[in-house]
Amino acid sequence: MASNFAVNNIRDFEFIIQEWLPTEGVFNYPQFADYYSKDDIKSVLDPVLKMCKAVIEPTNGENETHPATFADGEVTTPPSLGPLFHKLQEEGWGTSNIDNSPDAMVLPEMLNAAVWELICAANPTFMPYVLLTSGAAGLIQSFGNDELKAKFLPNMMNGTWAGTMCLTEPGAGSDVGDILSKAYPTDDPRIFKIKGNKIFITGGNNDFTENIIHLYLARIEGAKPGTSGISLFVVPKLWVNEDGSLEDNDFLNTGIEHKMGQHGSVTAALSAGENDNCRGWLLGKDPRDNEGKGEGMAQMFQMMNMARMETGHMALSCIINAFANARDNAKERVQGRLLTNPKAGRVSIINHEDIKRTLMMGKAHIEAMRAMMYRVYLAFDQRHRDPDPAVRQAANDLIDIATPLCKAYPSDEGWWLIGEAIQSYGGYGYCEEYPLSQIARDMKIYSIWEGTNYIQSMDLIGRKMNMKGGAVFGAWVQEMVDFHEANKGNEALSKEFSNLGKALDAYQAMLKALNGYTKTNMSMIPLYSRRILTASAQLFCGRQILDQAVLADKKAKEVGVEHFDYKFYTGKVAAAKYYLCNVVPNVWAVAEIVIDGDTSALDVPVDVFEY
């Protein structure tokens, strides 16, 4: 298989963190002030880029040639997966955003995100093992007592043990409130016996760590029905005794899924307590002492919200790598003559108009999505560490609104965008010898993971738009209106700001129609929700990439055409122009559809779908 990791520089990360985002405050937080500054971006990311090329990319092919297998209750993973996991955990990359002590040297969230973006592009299948271990450790860090932290965190952080999140069951997929897993009290009030079955558990088993620590949702007898009665338990594959020794915990892997992509990742079916001897530690309050209310879903959402961000970001990583490969292929492949000068001879296909359009379409989406993602990662740093309560609250509001956008938009658009990158190869793109087939198959899961994108859209409309009586969402829209008003006189980007203004007007008209449907026909909400989420993300991305373009245009004029950064800055401006003129118009197209209110999909009986 041809080289799969084609990302070749970190310049856009430098622009985002050093030039565009207001990151001075973050680097001045006490946690970072003695370790990092804005000038350290290159020193952190350059070695990661080299590691991705030299160490991580070579492992990616094994996901296809040596996929995960299951026999006699045990799994076998690609041979290089375990050594790679241990290397990254031992070097601290997998837990580089977890505080394990007051003086822990951790990365700012936005810088940590850049590290993980590169690693994921080099091997998407590997990333869930790292992210899930980090997420599970983070939950124990946040909600566990000192005993549990001491028992689990050191081995999880150094790679001796891995971690997962155990939610989905055969009869309860995204509707977690219907789970059947039960927890029964023991003589120890913190330890419960666990019985149940889980499916689709990513990283649910492996052959390279001593133990796997599952963060497991179950209902204690006597707790309320639905999501409000669910509790969260630390359920290790092997029970950890007081002296640190391990013993069987009656927690079995009963099979693995045979997936479209991500072939090196173990997606496991698990059975707990078949012999009545699976045990777990309760995190948080016992619902029997809390009016039947469990804390499991609230706790799990800490992990899930960041996991949703990371899922969208992994999709973006795949999009970036797909177009980087397409770019390299287009530079190297010579075919055809230019329509405008056929006598000049054959040219590299990157010079053909449709290929340039394809690559610009990729560049514009990538830079717009990346701008959206890193704006929100900055908010994670602010919410966690800023001393000003108003700053923390504003950051929290942005995270709440933007999380479904960041999860769903890249993972929805990635499928067709990577399809366009494949198209640029011609017939070669359909062949397994070229990397985009694997990238496409690996990417598709992200629109399904962590709540399907329909669920994300209903979260946006049903919850996020109505927080504090709609005030939070209204402020989010108003910020974009204010940005447009402050910049609409920009001569270099006048058409683009005009399009943003048109999109904002259409979007607000669409919101009025949406509000009307809540009173007249609630079925219209789920009918249009996914398209509304896409339009919301395109509007937000358009605002962010235009903000970048204003700065990049200024920088280009300052440095001049001879400067080595001139092409970078003018490329940023071009990407923004493409996005505002070719993508953002979808916002008013969706608005027209929603306002028109076509109900043809609702009006027909279901038997019309027979073919």
Side-chain angles (χ1 to χ4, degrees):
M1 181 177 290
S3 175
N4 201 359
F5 181 67
V7 178
N8 57 22
N9 69 76
I10 60 165
R11 181 64 184 92
D12 201 35
F13 295 128
E14 294 177 289
F15 175 81
I16 289 170
I17 299 174
Q18 290 179 324
E19 302 176 63
W20 176 53
L21 289 176
T23 58
E24 296 86 354
V26 170
F27 285 105
N28 285 329
Y29 292 151
Q31 190 76 49
F32 307 129
D34 293 336
Y35 300 114
Y36 306 109
S37 74
K38 291 173 69 170
D39 297 329
D40 293 325
I41 308 305
K42 192 175 186 66
S43 65
V44 172
L45 295 183
D46 260 350
V48 175
L49 182 63
K50 292 176 182 176
M51 177 179 70
C52 288
K53 290 184 178 294
V55 178
I56 298 176
E57 178 199 4
T59 68
N60 193 36
E62 284 189 2
N63 295 311
E64 299 296 292
T65 59
H66 296 79
T69 58
F70 179 80
D72 301 322
E74 300 295 332
V75 298
T76 301
T77 62
S80 60
L81 195 61
L84 180 60
F85 179 83
H86 290 298
K87 174 181 172 60
L88 265 68
Q89 294 297 100
E90 289 166 3
E91 293 181 359
W93 294 114
T95 50
S96 55
N97 63 337
I98 294 178
D99 292 309
N100 196 34
S101 67
D103 58 349
M105 185 176 173
V106 297
L107 291 174
E109 200 65 62
M110 57 190 169
L111 186 51
N112 191 65
V115 171
W116 285 4
E117 180 181 309
L118 292 169
I119 293 172
C120 180
N123 187 340
T125 297
F126 169 71
M127 276 310 292
Y129 289 102
V130 177
L131 295 175
L132 287 165
T133 299
S134 172
L139 284 178
I140 296 171
Q141 173 70 24
S142 295
F143 303 112
N145 58 26
D146 290 342
E147 176 192 358
L148 290 182
K149 292 176 187 178
K151 189 183 292 286
F152 292 107
L153 290 182
N155 283 330
M156 294 178 76
M157 295 179 76
N158 68 21
T160 303
W161 298 345
T164 76
M165 54 194 295
C166 280
L167 285 76
T168 304
E169 298 187 3
S174 298
D175 195 356
V176 179
D178 288 337
I179 65 170
L180 298 178
S181 286
K182 301 291 185 184
Y184 302 93
T186 67
D187 293 337
D188 187 326
R190 305 305 300 170
I191 296 176
F192 289 73
K193 286 196 172 182
I194 307 296
K195 286 190 176 182
N197 295 284
K198 300 288 183 178
I199 59 170
F200 294 139
I201 306 305
T202 303
N205 200 358
N206 70 59
D207 56 355
F208 54 79
T209 62
E210 181 183 63
N211 204 357
I212 304 172
I213 313 305
H214 303 277
L215 275 293
Y216 191 107
L217 289 180
R219 195 184 314 276
I220 295 174
E221 242 183 340
K224 286 188 170 185
T227 56
S228 64
I230 294 173
S231 296
L232 183 62
F233 299 84
V234 180
V235 184
K237 176 183 177 182
L238 300 175
W239 184 254
V240 184
N241 293 308
E242 294 301 316
D243 62 0
S245 61
L246 305 177
E247 63 180 54
D248 181 73
N249 194 32
D250 191 18
F251 199 2
L252 303 176
N253 181 187
T254 58
I256 65 173
E257 304 300 333
H258 302 283
K259 306 187 297 292
M260 175 179 174
Q262 303 266 347
H263 292 151
S265 171
V266 176
T267 302
L270 302 172
S271 177
E274 285 193 3
N275 299 307
D276 197 32
N277 198 36
C278 180
R279 294 152 287 172
W281 284 270
L282 173 66
L283 289 179
K285 295 178 182 178
D286 188 325
R288 296 172 299 172
D289 302 325
N290 192 36
E291 301 178 338
K293 299 176 183 176
E295 297 182 325
M297 284 306 295
Q299 293 166 338
M300 186 62 85
F301 262 104
Q302 172 185 295
M303 184 175 180
M304 286 177 65
N305 280 334
M306 180 53 81
R308 286 173 175 177
M309 284 289 297
E310 291 162 351
T311 298
H313 203 173
M314 286 189 282
L316 176 58
S317 297
C318 290
I319 298 168
I320 292 167
N321 196 33
F323 277 92
N325 275 279
R327 172 206 62 211
D328 291 350
N329 177 71
K331 285 181 178 179
E332 296 165 5
R333 185 178 175 192
V334 176
Q335 183 170 323
R337 295 160 177 81
L338 292 178
L339 183 65
T340 54
N341 191 7
K343 294 182 179 180
R346 286 153 50 91
V347 297
S348 299
I349 64 170
I350 198 169
N351 294 289
H352 290 300
E353 292 83 354
D354 189 57
I355 299 298
K356 288 184 72 176
R357 177 200 60 82
T358 298
L359 296 178
M360 178 55 78
M361 180 176 62
K363 176 180 172 64
H365 278 87
I366 287 164
E367 294 186 13
M369 291 173 182
R370 192 184 258 167
M372 172 178 69
M373 299 289 298
Y374 282 84
R375 175 69 75 177
V376 179
Y377 282 125
L378 172 65
F380 274 95
D381 283 313
Q382 293 168 330
R383 183 177 73 173
H384 188 191
R385 305 183 190 280
D386 201 277
D388 186 341
V391 173
R392 293 198 303 272
Q393 184 60 55
N396 186 71
D397 289 345
L398 177 59
I399 292 167
D400 280 342
I401 296 295
T403 294
L405 308 183
C406 291
K407 191 277 181 183
Y409 183 51
S411 57
D412 266 339
E413 304 303 289
W415 185 238
W416 74 265
L417 281 168
I418 294 175
E420 288 294 301
I422 290 172
Q423 189 76 11
S424 74
Y425 279 69
Y428 295 105
Y430 199 63
C431 299
E432 289 292 342
E433 290 83 359
Y434 291 82
L436 267 66
S437 170
Q438 182 186 353
I439 296 173
R441 288 184 282 102
D442 286 348
M443 196 285 309
K444 186 62 193 84
I445 187 60
Y446 301 130
S447 65
I448 301 168
W449 267 357
E450 302 305 329
T452 65
N453 287 351
Y454 165 69
I455 290 173
Q456 306 304 318
S457 69
M458 291 301 291
D459 177 46
L460 174 70
I461 295 175
R463 296 179 186 176
K464 304 306 172 59
M465 286 186 178
N466 296 304
M467 290 189 304
K468 298 181 182 177
V472 174
F473 190 79
W476 178 75
V477 175
Q478 187 61 46
E479 190 281 332
M480 291 187 281
V481 172
D482 293 343
F483 170 75
H484 170 259
E485 287 298 313
N487 291 277
K488 63 183 181 181
N490 186 303
E491 294 182 3
L493 296 161
S494 59
K495 180 180 178 182
E496 290 70 34
F497 274 104
S498 175
N499 279 1
L500 182 64
K502 183 176 178 180
L504 280 163
D505 290 342
Y507 188 78
Q508 291 175 93
M510 180 187 72
L511 293 178
K512 290 180 181 178
L514 191 63
N515 185 57
Y517 293 142
T518 63
K519 300 175 178 65
T520 60
N521 187 354
M522 285 294 291
S523 292
M524 302 293 273
I525 308 302
L527 178 67
Y528 289 120
S529 63
R530 285 189 66 188
R531 282 174 283 183
I532 292 169
L533 182 147
T534 297
S536 302
Q538 289 168 335
L539 185 64
F540 189 48
C541 283
R543 179 260 183 264
Q544 302 304 328
I545 198 172
L546 255 184
D547 194 26
Q548 288 192 348
V550 170
L551 176 60
D553 180 64
K554 178 183 175 183
K555 293 267 190 177
K557 291 170 181 173
E558 288 174 354
V559 301
V561 295
E562 300 301 324
H563 194 274
F564 63 88
D565 258 341
Y566 182 77
K567 287 183 180 179
F568 171 79
Y569 290 130
T570 55
K572 296 289 292 183
V573 174
K577 288 184 173 184
Y578 186 95
Y579 195 84
L580 268 294
C581 293
N582 294 272
V583 181
V584 169
N586 185 62
V587 175
W588 61 78
V590 169
E592 289 179 5
I593 292 170
V594 173
I595 292 168
D596 177 65
D598 171 56
T599 60
S600 57
L602 301 177
D603 296 339
V604 297
V606 295
D607 55 12
V608 304
F609 302 115
E610 299 296 328
Y611 298 105

